[in-house]
Amino acid sequence: MLLSLVLHTYSMRYLLPSVLLLGSAPTYLLAWTLWRVLSALMPARLYQRVDDRLYCVYQNMVLFFFENYTGVQILLYGDLPKNKENVIYLANHQSTVDWIVADMLAARQDALGHVRYVLKDKLKWLPLYGFYFAQHGGIYVKRSAKFNDKEMRSKLQSYVNAGTPMYLVIFPEGTRYNATYTKLLSASQAFAAQRGLAVLKHVLTPRIKATHVAFDSMKSHLDAIYDVTVVYEGNEKGSGKYSNPPSMTEFLCKQCPKLHIHFDRIDRNEVPEEQEHMKKWLHERFEIKDRLLIEFYDSPDPERRNKFPGKSVHSRLSVKKTLPSVLILGSLTAVMLMTESGRKLYMGTCLYGTLLGCLWFVIKA
């Protein structure tokens, strides 16, 4: 019985982070709405600068739980620039935590507020979050034939014209890789083989549309491409056989003791502009990722297994940088919930914020 209690307590480690992260979302949206109204007649760049700072506050709270609270050891391979840059971030996609990994790297460059995502279209219906991500510069896209390149190009060009700092996160695979989803992997490999491309084992065949539109729209604004390869250690079960990467809940339950991040910076001048050439280039980058992952999981040399080639640095994010956000948003939420009028405002934001956000997307469609 005692063992059952311990195991149950361990499995509930995600509860506190979930309550604070989700519970403070209405508070955050209210703060953003107030700023949006106050800044209506102010210069757009001033609005954007403060919005980026607000976004830092919330995302630093996210990082407090996903880094400081979990105690995950982050091993960084490659030289991450210390200065801020306008970039497109390309990474392999295997877990919902992948979005947080992008935040982790951006925070180490003091560029957390500049992170903007290219997201699946259905995610725009997420209560509160879906609407706000669009306001912060996120772009929702549909897959394959339904992909609207004109809409994406128009949005990105507006950000370039406004001088908006960009840390644009794209997962070119389009969906999460999972070794147990054999039909998805087989279809991806067949797609590559039919087009004369290298067949990949530990990643899916990348799609070019979003990456090409992003690069073509922002090439005058960009400094570089960040090519990132991620492994969640703790999921291997022998050579080439490992369980699913952790979900956000599992990650918060400390089921990932180490996070390996391989980083490669590619200057924008090294990236081909023409779509077919870029398609070949992107696939070659994913071939490199695949070789890194094969080496990590399947190397015949035990000394080279469970790590990327080269020297790694144990990168830590100071709790002094993240804890204040937890205290600020947690306190504001608690104060609001202490009074009847505050509770009504809080619940009204949850309800009407969600409904108005959905209505906004319907009108924009």
Side-chain angles (χ1 to χ4, degrees), residues 286-302:
F286 270 73
E287 288 180 54
I288 294 172
K289 290 181 183 295
D290 204 43
R291 288 196 293 270
L292 287 170
L293 293 169
I294 289 172
E295 181 86 354
F296 189 99
Y297 292 118
D298 307 330
S299 176
D301 183 357

Side-chain angles (χ1 to χ4, degrees), residues 304-336:
R304 301 174 67 179
R305 205 177 301 151
N306 296 331
K307 62 181 180 181
F308 287 127
K311 183 180 179 181
S312 66
V313 175
H314 183 194
S315 179
R316 293 184 177 89
L317 190 64
S318 172
V319 70
K320 294 179 181 179
K321 190 172 185 178
T322 58
L323 183 58
S325 293
V326 180
L327 299 177
I328 291 170
L329 285 173
S331 298
L332 288 174
T333 302
V335 169
M336 187 182 301

Side-chain angles (χ1 to χ4, degrees), residues 116-340:
R116 313 179 205 283
Y117 305 110
V118 174
L119 302 145
K120 293 179 185 177
D121 187 66
K122 64 181 181 181
L123 294 177
K124 68 187 181 185
W125 305 114
L126 284 173
L128 305 184
Y129 291 96
F131 172 74
Y132 175 71
F133 281 148
Q135 306 311 306
H136 184 66
I139 299 173
Y140 294 101
V141 296
K142 295 180 180 179
R143 294 178 183 171
S144 59
K146 296 182 178 180
F147 180 82
N148 189 336
D149 62 323
K150 291 183 179 179
E151 182 179 351
M152 181 178 179
R153 192 181 298 274
S154 175
K155 289 181 179 178
L156 289 173
Q157 192 58 59
S158 69
Y159 300 147
V160 171
N161 294 341
T164 304
M166 295 299 292
Y167 199 104
L168 187 66
V169 178
I170 301 177
F171 298 108
E173 291 162 283
T175 192
R176 293 194 296 272
Y177 169 91
N178 189 315
T180 63
Y181 294 170
T182 54
K183 288 186 178 180
L184 176 64
L185 182 57
S186 296
S188 176
Q189 292 174 337
F191 180 87
Q194 290 169 5
R195 287 157 180 77
L197 301 170
V199 174
L200 307 173
K201 180 180 180 182
H202 289 300
V203 290
L204 301 177
T205 303
R207 306 304 174 106
I208 187 61
K209 288 183 179 179
T211 304
H212 179 259
V213 170
F215 185 84
D216 190 54
S217 302
M218 301 194 301
K219 56 190 174 185
S220 63
H221 191 56
L222 289 176
D223 297 301
I225 301 285
Y226 288 176
D227 186 356
V228 178
T229 307
V230 179
V231 169
Y232 300 89
E233 188 177 330
N235 298 292
E236 304 88 67
K237 292 184 177 178
S239 178
K241 297 179 181 179
Y242 48 93
S243 62
N244 299 336
S247 64
M248 287 187 177
T249 299
E250 291 166 340
F251 195 95
L252 289 170
C253 286
K254 307 187 180 184
Q255 294 185 22
C256 177
K258 290 184 182 179
L259 185 58
H260 298 259
I261 306 174
H262 186 278
F263 175 87
D264 193 8
R265 182 189 185 278
I266 304 163
D267 191 89
R268 71 174 184 185
N269 295 324
E270 298 176 24
V271 181
E273 295 185 17
E274 200 275 325
Q275 183 167 340
E276 283 304 311
H277 293 161
M278 184 182 285
K279 183 178 181 180
K280 180 181 178 182
W281 171 85
L282 182 61
H283 197 85
E284 288 172 351
R285 296 307 309 181
F286 270 73
E287 288 180 54
I288 294 172
K289 290 181 183 295
D290 204 43
R291 288 196 293 270
L292 287 170
L293 293 169
I294 289 172
E295 181 86 354
F296 189 99
Y297 292 118
D298 307 330
S299 176
D301 183 357
E303 295 296 320
R304 301 174 67 179
R305 205 177 301 151
N306 296 331
K307 62 181 180 181
F308 287 127
K311 183 180 179 181
S312 66
V313 175
H314 183 194
S315 179
R316 293 184 177 89
L317 190 64
S318 172
V319 70
K320 294 179 181 179
K321 190 172 185 178
T322 58
L323 183 58
S325 293
V326 180
L327 299 177
I328 291 170
L329 285 173
S331 298
L332 288 174
T333 302
V335 169
M336 187 182 301
L337 294 175
M338 284 179 180
T339 65
E340 183 178 353

Side-chain angles (χ1 to χ4, degrees), residues 334-357:
V335 169
M336 187 182 301
L337 294 175
M338 284 179 180
T339 65
E340 183 178 353
S341 59
R343 289 191 292 272
K344 287 182 178 179
L345 180 60
Y346 181 91
M347 295 305 298
T349 302
C350 292
L351 177 61
Y352 296 112
T354 298
L355 293 177
L356 291 174

Side-chain angles (χ1 to χ4, degrees), residues 55 59 62-67 70 72-77 80 87 89-112 115-117 167-171 176 226-233 235 245-248 251-252 256 258-264 289 308 315 317:
Y55 188 74
Q59 292 301 328
V62 172
L63 292 180
F64 171 81
F65 288 112
F66 279 85
E67 282 205 51
T70 63
V72 62
Q73 183 179 359
I74 297 176
L75 298 175
L76 184 60
Y77 304 75
L80 182 70
V87 303
Y89 170 110
L90 303 177
N92 59 317
H93 195 19
Q94 53 193 318
S95 167
T96 49
V97 184
D98 293 338
W99 302 101
I100 313 298
V101 174
D103 290 344
M104 292 175 178
L105 293 183
R108 284 157 172 79
Q109 295 178 269
D110 198 25
L112 188 55
V115 175
R116 313 179 205 283
Y117 305 110
Y167 199 104
L168 187 66
V169 178
I170 301 177
F171 298 108
R176 293 194 296 272
Y226 288 176
D227 186 356
V228 178
T229 307
V230 179
V231 169
Y232 300 89
E233 188 177 330
N235 298 292
S247 64
M248 287 187 177
F251 195 95
L252 289 170
C256 177
K258 290 184 182 179
L259 185 58
H260 298 259
I261 306 174
H262 186 278
F263 175 87
D264 193 8
K289 290 181 183 295
F308 287 127
S315 179
L317 190 64

